[in-house]
């Protein structure tokens, strides 16, 4: 498991830039991190329990809390803080961010939701 060399919250608190050794920094929006939170509240305990999170266009990152040497807890402005973003999950989000975001937007559309921005 790679450990990020840097985690940096944007001045506006609307994104987290993640840098893994040997890779370019990757900017992950707070909205994306929130809707793809690894928490049981979002992911459930099996794939069929996963919840589509909507209405988080303006969510921001309130705080980052280190969890040992393997993860970070992201506290969001809407109060959500139960997901532990392991280094491997952050790396997956960084590597697959475009596809994961496209999948999320497609699911929103399929279920009749419209983003506000």
């Amino acid at each position: 498991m790679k450990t990020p060399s840097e985690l940096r919250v944007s001045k506006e608190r609307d994104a987290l830039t993640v840098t893994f050794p040997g890779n370019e920094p990757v900017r992950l929006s707070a909205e994306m991190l929130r809707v793809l939170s690894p928490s049981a509240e979002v992911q459930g305990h099996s794939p069929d329990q996963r919840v589509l999170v909507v209405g988080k266009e303006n969510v921001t990152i309130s705080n980052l809390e280190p969890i040992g040497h393997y993860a970070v807890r992201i506290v969001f402005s809407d109060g959500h803080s139960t997901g532990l973003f392991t280094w491997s999950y952050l790396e997956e989000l960084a590597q697959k961010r475009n596809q994961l975001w496209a999948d999320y937007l497609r699911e929103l559309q399929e279920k009749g939701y419209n983003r506000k921005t």
Side-chain angles (χ1 to χ4, degrees):
M1 173 173 55
K2 292 182 190 174
T3 300
S5 54
E6 182 179 32
L7 296 176
R8 185 174 11 98
V9 177
S10 66
K11 187 187 324 186
E12 299 80 14
R13 308 199 73 75
D14 64 348
L16 175 68
T17 298
V18 181
T19 307
F20 284 93
N23 294 321
E24 294 293 317
V26 176
R27 184 178 194 275
L28 302 171
S29 73
E31 179 185 6
M32 180 178 146
L33 291 165
R34 176 60 180 89
V35 302
L36 297 178
S37 170
S39 70
E41 177 185 328
V42 174
Q43 298 300 326
H45 295 287
S46 65
D48 62 318
Q49 292 180 343
R50 189 178 63 77
V51 173
L52 178 63
V53 178
V54 299
K56 301 301 177 183
E57 295 88 342
N58 297 313
V59 74
T60 57
I61 297 169
S62 299
N63 197 22
L64 296 180
E65 300 173 355
I67 305 296
H69 296 286
Y70 68 96
V72 65
R73 178 188 321 273
I74 302 176
V75 179
F76 294 94
S77 59
D78 66 353
H80 181 75
S81 64
T82 59
L84 297 184
F85 289 79
T86 63
W87 303 149
S88 58
Y89 187 60
L90 279 175
E91 185 176 31
E92 178 183 348
L93 291 176
Q95 291 174 347
K96 299 178 180 178
R97 72 186 179 284
N98 293 334
Q99 183 60 53
L100 292 168
W101 188 246
D103 291 346
Y104 172 72
L105 294 177
R106 185 175 54 254
E107 187 176 6
L108 282 179
Q109 185 176 23
E110 288 170 356
K111 294 191 176 173
Y113 292 101
N114 292 312
R115 288 180 70 245
K116 295 175 186 153
T117 59

